[in-house]
Structures are given as structure tokens and as C-alpha cells.
Amino acid sequence: IVLLAVVSYFLVDYLNSSREPSVIAKHEISAPNGARIKILLSDSSEVWLNSGSKLVYPENFTASDREVYLEGEAFFDIRKNNYKPFFINTSKIRIKVLGTSLNVKSYLEENTIETTLITGQVEIREIESKGKKTRTAFLLPEQKALYFKETGRIRIEEKKSIVPVTTSPTRVDQIGERTEPARQSENPEIAWKDNKLVFT
């Protein structure tokens, strides 16, 4: 009888422990001021983290979803998976993407959160509603959404213009460095990723 009781105890304990959800290891990477970091996620998606930014992401994504948390600015090139959407969480909004490239700027000290879509399509949703309804917006390529933290308003802007092609030859500036003319394919919103400053 005693042996049966001991075996039963360990059997029940084993079954209960096997039902407990496994803890998913998470990584937190911060880009120090003046630096940029490139991160390869477990699904082969790529993230470029801008200066003074932080990304929290799991070591491996679960079977049901892919989810990260961002403070600061990052460029995302997301691997497409129709069955597992990718979610980018910020302090105020949650962005749902499938196979998409986009730039998200969400510094805690700034009054707005900017989402600039390069390719694909995204859905932007408030995490906490400022009114009766949760605000939602959809972006198409070359559109930019500004979320205003104080009011919860979302404004969609069309891309004003790609950096114009310059026909002037390359010139030498006053300190002897060569300056390159801007190319039409360059997008001012993500120029930081290539270590460039673009003035329009």
C-alpha cells in the first residue's frame, strides 16, 4: 500500500509538471548612442536597431505568433508567413504585419509614434483606447502613420516625394571630402540605416 501511494504521488507530480507551460527565453538588445545594430530573428526576419533604441524578442517564436517589443527606432524586414503574423508592440500601439518592410519610430520622450511602410501592408491598432472605440489604421506602401500619444489620433500621410535625382556632378566640399548626389531610390525615412543624412 505504501509503495502504491509513493508511486501514485510521483506519477501525479510528473503529469502536473509536464502540463506547465515552458518558459520562453527572451533577449533584450539596446543600441548605444551613436551606434546601429543589425539583428537576425529566429524566423530569418531582419531588424536594424537605431541609436538609443531597445528591442525585446524571444529566442524562438511560438507556433502561433511572432511578437517583439520596441522602444526607439528600428527598420524591420519581416519574413512572410501567412499563418503566423508578426506583431511589433510599442508603448501605445501594436502593429500587425505579414511579409513587410517598415520603419517604426517610438521614442518614449517623443509625442508621436511614426510608422513608415516601405513594402507590404500593415495594421496599426491602439493598445489602450482614448475614446469609446479603439483606433485602427491600415497602411499601404509609401504611406506614413503618425500616432499622437496625448489624443490617440492617427494621421495618415502620403509619401511627399522620393529624394529627387540631381543632375549636378559630384562636387568637392570645403574640407576636401566628396559629396554624393542623392539617388532616386533613397528613402529619407530609412536613410539612417545606411549611415546617411538626407536633406530635402
Side-chain angles (χ1 to χ4, degrees), residues 81-99:
N81 187 332
N82 292 327
Y83 303 102
K84 287 175 64 174
F86 192 100
F87 293 97
I88 303 166
N89 295 296
T90 70
S91 60
K92 297 291 183 181
I93 63 172
R94 177 178 169 93
I95 304 164
K96 177 182 177 181
V97 306
L98 291 174

Side-chain angles (χ1 to χ4, degrees), residues 18-30:
S18 63
R19 289 176 187 165
E20 293 177 0
S22 57
V23 177
I24 300 173
K26 290 192 176 181
H27 296 289
E28 180 178 310
I29 291 187
S30 298

Side-chain angles (χ1 to χ4, degrees), residues 96-138:
K96 177 182 177 181
V97 306
L98 291 174
T100 303
S101 59
L102 71 158
N103 194 76
V104 181
K105 187 178 180 184
S106 176
Y107 288 100
L108 294 178
E109 64 274 13
E110 294 186 357
N111 296 324
T112 59
I113 298 174
E114 300 178 10
T115 305
T116 305
L117 185 61
I118 310 302
T119 62
Q121 186 175 357
V122 301
E123 175 189 296
I124 299 170
R125 185 182 295 270
E126 274 186 300
I127 294 175
E128 294 180 2
S129 176
K130 297 290 183 181
K132 294 182 180 179
K133 293 183 178 180
T134 301
R135 289 177 172 86
T136 304
F138 295 90

Side-chain angles (χ1 to χ4, degrees), residues 3-42:
L3 181 61
L4 182 61
V6 172
V7 171
S8 299
Y9 172 80
F10 282 107
L11 182 61
V12 170
D13 184 62
Y14 171 78
L15 291 175
N16 287 335
S17 63
S18 63
R19 289 176 187 165
E20 293 177 0
S22 57
V23 177
I24 300 173
K26 290 192 176 181
H27 296 289
E28 180 178 310
I29 291 187
S30 298
N33 293 332
R36 291 170 294 114
I37 297 175
K38 182 179 178 182
I39 304 162
L40 183 65
L41 302 179
S42 61

